[in-house]
Amino acid sequence: MRDFCLMTDSCCDLDDSLARELNLNVVPLSVHFGTETYKNWLDGREISFQDFYKRVKSGEMPTTSAVSVGDFETAMRKELQAGRDILYIGFSSGLSTTVQSAVIAAQHLKKDFPDQKIAIVDSLCASGGQGLIAQLCALEKQAGKSLEEIQTFAEENKKYICHWFTVDDLNHLKRGGRVNAATALFGTMLAIKPVLHVDDEGHLISMEKARGRRASILSLVEHIKKTAVNPEKYDVFITHGDCLDDAQFLADEVRKAVPVHDIHISYVGPVIGSHTGQGVVTLFFFGTPR
């Protein structure tokens, strides 16, 4: 059996040390401030998470771009030249064209590496949800499973990765077309905080409204209480937009509510953070279908 690598992209929002521990090859998306472009590396080597959120808080409006076909070809070619096949677990096609870029790159490389395999899974996940399915796949690889077995595992289990999150500033969702201007205005005036999730097609859906920050965070806990499956077996991932205290509060409440295996807390990276703004708090776990 030929060796293979697990590849994902930076919208997994994993802590860099965990991604390295799992031996993941992580390809970065990009964030732009005007004419300045930064790769969204997990270690923040081009723009730190703190600097990114400081600029957003000051009023700068970033834009983002998917991984290019060329960047995928470069990353994939290195693995193929080293004699490894590739299983790529990608950011939801409902939110980005990154997976499509990976598919095109794989098609191009097939001409030069006809005997090697590049398998692509559209995770239909984002942020720590994508991180969770990537972690589970890495653990399957450590257990000796083949590329084909892990590809099947990912396709069968991605629908059980539950995504719940809340934002502190509705204006970023308004800018992305997730809420209208009137909702953003009155929601801000009344301290209404939306609770959102990612659906079966990988799209962002507004589900509930909570009055105040604490209530919105506690509503995330209610969802893990209701729908988590075997929480003592699976890790929980929490990501945040430069609001560590809120993320730690959420983690403490989750631990009170369910017997979780472990909780990982990390930043929402600049690409997803461009669309959610500072103050986003997220919760990802293995549960009943979305």
Side-chain angles (χ1 to χ4, degrees), residues 33-49:
F33 283 107
T35 59
E36 301 170 49
T37 295
Y38 305 93
K39 297 285 190 185
N40 176 194
W41 297 100
L42 296 186
D43 61 4
R45 71 186 74 164
E46 293 194 12
I47 183 168
S48 74
F49 304 117

Side-chain angles (χ1 to χ4, degrees), residues 7-9 87-100 102-103 119-126 129-130 133 137 151 153-159 161 163 198-203 290:
M7 182 176 286
T8 188
D9 57 71
L87 174 57
Y88 166 65
I89 312 293
F91 181 31
S92 171
S93 63
L95 297 169
S96 172
T97 59
T98 293
V99 164
Q100 290 92 313
V103 170
I120 294 171
V121 174
D122 177 1
S123 74
L124 302 177
C125 294
Q130 182 182 340
I133 193 67
C137 288
Q151 182 181 8
F153 171 87
E155 293 288 1
E156 289 177 348
N157 285 279
K158 64 188 185 183
K159 63 185 177 184
I161 307 300
H163 299 56
V198 173
D199 68 10
D200 285 338
E201 275 128 27
H203 296 115
R290 302 182 209 172

Side-chain angles (χ1 to χ4, degrees), residues 163-167 170 173 178-179 193-198 204-208 220 223:
H163 299 56
W164 289 97
F165 67 100
T166 186
V167 299
L170 287 164
L173 292 179
R178 302 297 176 186
V179 299
K193 308 297 182 185
V195 176
L196 307 98
H197 88 141
V198 173
L204 198 61
I205 303 294
S206 181
M207 296 294 290
E208 305 163 11
L220 308 182
H223 285 290

Side-chain angles (χ1 to χ4, degrees), residues 39-179:
K39 297 285 190 185
N40 176 194
W41 297 100
L42 296 186
D43 61 4
R45 71 186 74 164
E46 293 194 12
I47 183 168
S48 74
F49 304 117
Q50 295 89 341
D51 285 347
F52 167 77
Y53 283 107
K54 189 183 298 181
R55 292 178 70 166
V56 170
K57 192 174 181 182
S58 73
E60 290 191 67
M61 289 298 177
T63 58
T64 62
S65 56
V67 181
S68 70
V69 172
D71 283 352
F72 266 125
E73 286 192 29
T74 299
M76 290 176 170
R77 186 177 292 276
K78 287 179 182 176
E79 296 290 349
L80 297 169
Q81 287 175 336
R84 289 184 287 270
D85 290 341
I86 297 167
L87 174 57
Y88 166 65
I89 312 293
F91 181 31
S92 171
S93 63
L95 297 169
S96 172
T97 59
T98 293
V99 164
Q100 290 92 313
S101 294
V103 170
I104 295 168
Q107 291 168 344
H108 290 175
L109 290 165
K110 197 66 182 172
K111 291 175 284 189
D112 293 337
F113 302 92
D115 298 326
Q116 288 181 252
K117 181 168 186 176
I118 303 174
I120 294 171
V121 174
D122 177 1
S123 74
L124 302 177
C125 294
S127 193
Q130 182 182 340
L132 174 52
I133 193 67
Q135 181 214 33
L136 293 175
C137 288
L139 295 176
E140 291 291 298
K141 187 174 189 294
Q142 290 173 13
K145 299 294 178 65
S146 69
L147 183 154
E148 291 78 14
E149 287 172 322
I150 299 173
Q151 182 181 8
T152 299
F153 171 87
E155 293 288 1
E156 289 177 348
N157 285 279
K158 64 188 185 183
K159 63 185 177 184
Y160 298 107
I161 307 300
C162 300
H163 299 56
W164 289 97
F165 67 100
T166 186
V167 299
D168 199 37
D169 183 353
L170 287 164
N171 288 307
H172 286 273
L173 292 179
K174 180 191 76 173
R175 192 163 61 91
R178 302 297 176 186
V179 299

